[in-house]
């Protein structure tokens, strides 16, 4: 199975900060990477697919990049509603796998 | 608007069975591959199973193979997860998730249902 390792596991930041979350795959996954946001007690929601394509309606402060095995999710100017847990997901092969999550907290 | 509503969760003893359902609306269910994803309390996301749009293809995580069975009834717009020989480690919120755009199962996932909690405990 393809393993995804996110870093950091947790992150404290302030409103207005720019933050970056990294997702590293154990083997190349081409463009088959997505990012999700999950708020406490809620289901995950898709933010980005195919590395860098923003889902319709997602604010443009979210962006994704990367290639091969290394990928990043960036938030350009944190808003209060962005404090949540973020997961990457690969869909290159079965089993579909997720990173362990990055918890973004208010400093 | 796409809507997925899971039901059937609850408390069950180890070794017993449970069947989860997911009622779908707002899209052509019979053209969409569907997944079950689970999340143990305080933990991350774990993929469980996928079923193709017509039910002809199914894949499972090794951790649930031979115990959990995914199925669908396209006439009822409903996805199922039959859970047999339940273990304490199956305790989790189970999410029903759609594959968008009539794509194959190996894809990004959107949207997710609100989830149903399964607790396996004696």
């Amino acid at each position: 199975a393809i393993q995804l390792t996110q870093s950091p596991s947790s992150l404290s930041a302030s409103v207005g900060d720019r933050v970056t979350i990294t997702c590293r795959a154990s083997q190349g996954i081409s463009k088959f990477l997505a990012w999700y946001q999950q708020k406490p007690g809620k289901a995950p929601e898709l933010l980005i697919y195919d590395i860098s394509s923003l889902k319709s309606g997602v604010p443009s402060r979210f962006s994704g990049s990367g290639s091969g095995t290394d990928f990043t999710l960036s938030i350009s100017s944190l808003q209060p509603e962005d404090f949540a847990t973020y997961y990457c997901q690969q869909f290159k092969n079965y089993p579909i796998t997720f990173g362990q999550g990055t918890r973004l907290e208010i400093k | 608007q796409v809507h997925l509503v899971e039901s059937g969760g609850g408390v069950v003893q180890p070794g017993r069975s449970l069947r989860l359902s997911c009622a779908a609306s707002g899209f052509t269910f019979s053209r969409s591959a569907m997944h079950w994803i689970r999340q143990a309390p305080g933990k991350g996301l774990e993929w469980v199973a996928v079923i193709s749009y017509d039910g002809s293809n199914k894949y499972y995580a090794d951790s649930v193979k031979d115990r959990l069975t995914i199925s669908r009834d396209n006439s009822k717009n409903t996805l199922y997860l039959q859970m047999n020989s339940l273990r304490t480690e199956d305790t989790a919120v189970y999410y029903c998730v759609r594959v968008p755009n009539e794509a194959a199962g190996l894809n990004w996932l959107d949207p997710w249902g609100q989830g149903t909690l399964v607790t396996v405990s004696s």
Side-chain angles (χ1 to χ4, degrees), chain A residues 7 15 41-42 58 67 74 81:
Chain A
S7 60
V15 172
K42 301 294 186 181
V58 173
S67 64
S74 296
E81 61 268 28

Side-chain angles (χ1 to χ4, degrees), chain A residues 2 13 16 20-21 25 54 60 62 72 79 81 84 87-88 94 97 102:
Chain A
I2 297 174
T20 298
I21 298 169
L54 206 61
S60 59
F62 290 91
T72 59
Q79 298 301 301
E81 61 268 28
Y87 294 93
C88 56
Y94 286 121
T97 51
T102 295

